[in-house]
Amino acid sequence: MAQIPTTATERCPAPPPGSRGIDEILAAARARLRRLDPEQAHLACRAGALLVDIRPAAQRAAQGTVPGALVVERNVLEWRFDPRCAARLPQAVDYDVPVIVLCQEGYTSSLAAAALQDIGLHKATDVVGGFAAWHIAGLPTLGPTPPTRPSSAAPPVTAGGALR
């Protein structure tokens, strides 16, 4: 009878030479950043830094948003902030733009901020703990947006037309 693996390492095939696990990649990204706690990020935004929310629309709707945050979903972030790119945002004027990346819990944002540093935005960083920590800190948020429900003000339309 085959043994059932008890740890993730036991289930994992041997990694290819030169590859790195996500924990190592995340640690390397964070080592390059001067990460900000939510209060520091809030103060930096008040002083002119751009807070960029990279969460998907469904997550923003379910959890809420930060007023004034620039929404740029993760899949297009580098194109929108590379000053060399024709698809850049008007805010991507040069490499000195202070960009603070926000995700839900502060993991994806670290990788995203490191990617922005790779294209030359040397002031890019992220928020420790992400939106969840921002919200817990009592900083300004909007939402969440409740799912839309049919209005109960009007009766439902029936296939047979209006009842008399």
Side-chain angles (χ1 to χ4, degrees):
M1 179 178 211
Q3 285 190 339
I4 298 174
T6 57
T7 67
T9 306
E10 290 180 45
R11 292 186 299 263
C12 180
S19 67
R20 298 182 297 160
I22 189 59
D23 291 336
E24 186 179 351
I25 293 168
L26 181 62
R30 287 179 170 169
R32 299 167 41 194
L33 304 174
R34 190 182 70 78
R35 302 182 76 211
L36 303 176
D37 66 33
E39 292 84 1
Q40 291 170 321
H42 185 248
L43 290 173
C45 292
R46 291 182 63 176
L50 292 175
L51 183 65
V52 179
D53 190 339
I54 63 169
R55 296 174 301 149
Q59 204 169 38
R60 293 189 312 273
Q63 303 298 320
T65 60
V66 174
L70 182 62
V71 174
V72 180
E73 290 193 14
R74 177 64 190 100
N75 63 324
V76 295
L77 183 69
E78 292 87 347
W79 287 269
R80 299 300 181 256
F81 277 96
D82 185 348
R84 295 168 278 223
C85 183
R88 73 184 174 276
L89 293 169
Q91 294 89 337
V93 294
D94 60 40
Y95 298 96
D96 290 328
V97 175
V99 176
I100 303 169
V101 184
L102 182 76
C103 70
Q104 185 60 34
E105 295 181 350
Y107 293 92
T108 304
S109 59
S110 294
L111 300 176
L116 291 178
Q117 285 189 354
D118 287 343
I119 61 173
L121 279 82
H122 61 97
K123 293 181 180 179
T125 191
D126 76 325
V127 178
V128 175
F131 179 82
W134 182 284
H135 182 72
I136 289 168
L139 295 169
T141 61
L142 298 172
T145 306
T148 57
R149 296 182 185 156
S151 171
S152 60
V157 176
T158 62
L163 298 174
R164 295 180 187 210

